[in-house]
Amino acid sequence: MEALSEDELAFIFSFLSWKEILKVRVCNKWRAASKLTLVPSSSIEIRGMEKPELYVKTEAKYQALPQIIEALPNLQQLSLYENDDLKFQDGEDARVFGFGVHKTTPVIDLECIARLQNLRRLFLERIHLNGRYPFLFNFPRLQQLRIYGVGFLQWDLSMISNFPELQDFYVAHNHRLTGEIKSLRVLKNTLRNVVIATCHEVEGDLMDLADFPHLEEI
């Protein structure tokens, strides 16, 4: 193995899971190779639904996320799930509420995920984000985006143009999502599945997408 280059090691590591790659980082050369590795995308089943294998919910995993991304900047999948015991860093134009939220844990800053420029799958589910987070909408290779129950995340459908390879788009219970459904027409040649539910500030008709050649679900 000593004769192998970092690129060759990275190719070998690409057949391992993200957890396995972290475990084999036993020397500087292998740590450097892990940073070059395009970490394969795989799924786990939770409550009957397939989710990205890198599933972040516990405080320990949220705290470790910057270190995971530092070690594996070519991750292709990420799922961030609710944790009521954590406070997340407010975004731009965050709403100010009339009641205090007292947390004993440190504030979680998610901006580290901006480094994941090879991200293909991103799930955000019920996490307590408040305001605008532009870094969440800058993944040029993203193919699957699911945003569920992130009610105070403020964004506009026109930002979907930052995902030129997007195929599957699901958003529900996002009360601060604005924009027009026709904004999705920039993805006419890539979108396969589109679900927009309980997003009351979104305007337009899903039938505006009826002529998309690859659309399977709307």
Side-chain angles (χ1 to χ4, degrees):
M1 296 290 281
E2 292 182 3
L4 296 178
S5 68
E6 291 177 2
D7 287 335
E8 290 170 326
L9 286 169
F11 175 75
I12 294 171
F13 291 171
S14 70
F15 293 92
L16 304 177
S17 71
W18 69 272
K19 290 182 180 179
E20 292 169 331
I21 298 171
L22 289 180
K23 290 178 181 178
V24 302
R25 296 167 64 253
V26 295
C27 64
N28 288 337
K29 184 176 183 180
W30 287 32
R31 283 189 284 272
S34 72
K35 290 188 175 184
L36 300 175
T37 303
L38 192 61
V39 183
S41 181
S42 55
S43 300
I44 57 175
E45 186 172 311
I46 298 177
R47 299 173 186 170
M49 176 178 289
E50 284 194 355
K51 299 181 184 293
E53 186 185 21
L54 181 44
Y55 180 79
V56 182
K57 181 176 181 179
T58 66
E59 178 183 344
K61 194 168 282 187
Y62 270 111
Q63 295 287 8
L65 189 59
Q67 288 73 43
I68 294 172
I69 292 173
E70 173 69 24
L72 303 173
N74 288 308
L75 284 163
Q76 296 188 80
Q77 55 174 354
L78 181 62
S79 180
L80 304 179
Y81 198 75
E82 68 174 330
N83 185 319
D84 290 334
D85 294 325
L86 297 179
K87 163 68 177 172
F88 293 91
Q89 181 70 50
D90 283 343
E92 303 168 12
D93 301 321
R95 286 192 175 185
V96 178
F97 296 97
F99 53 87
V101 178
H102 302 286
K103 301 290 183 184
T104 59
T105 55
V107 173
I108 303 297
D109 188 348
L110 295 177
E111 195 161 2
C112 61
I113 74 173
R115 296 187 60 187
L116 300 177
Q117 288 300 291
N118 279 310
L119 200 65
R120 304 295 206 279
R121 303 171 69 203
L122 177 62
F123 285 30
L124 306 173
E125 298 185 287
R126 298 181 177 178
I127 59 175
H128 302 302
L129 301 182
N130 180 11
R132 300 180 186 273
Y133 299 81
F135 63 86
L136 291 176
F137 300 92
N138 189 30
F139 301 110
R141 307 197 69 179
L142 199 71
Q143 296 178 355
Q144 184 179 18
L145 177 63
R146 177 182 173 89
I147 303 178
Y148 176 81
V150 190
F152 293 104
L153 173 63
Q154 186 173 346
W155 60 292
D156 190 271
L157 275 181
S158 62
M159 298 168 74
I160 214 76
S161 63
N162 294 331
F163 308 131
E165 298 181 12
L166 194 67
Q167 298 178 11
D168 297 297
F169 177 53
Y170 178 101
V171 58
H173 303 284
N174 193 167
H175 308 305
R176 300 190 75 187
L177 170 61
T178 58
E180 299 184 356
I181 289 176
K182 65 182 182 181
S183 299
L184 300 181
R185 294 197 63 82
V186 296
L187 300 177
K188 178 178 179 179
N189 293 319
T190 62
L191 279 175
R192 297 181 183 276
N193 299 290
V194 176
V195 174
I196 301 175
T198 321
C199 300
H200 301 299
E201 299 301 317
V202 173
E203 300 178 348
D205 191 330
L206 284 172
M207 293 307 296
D208 290 339
L209 315 180
D211 62 336
F212 281 28
H214 306 294
L215 205 58
E216 298 171 1
E217 180 182 355
I218 188 171

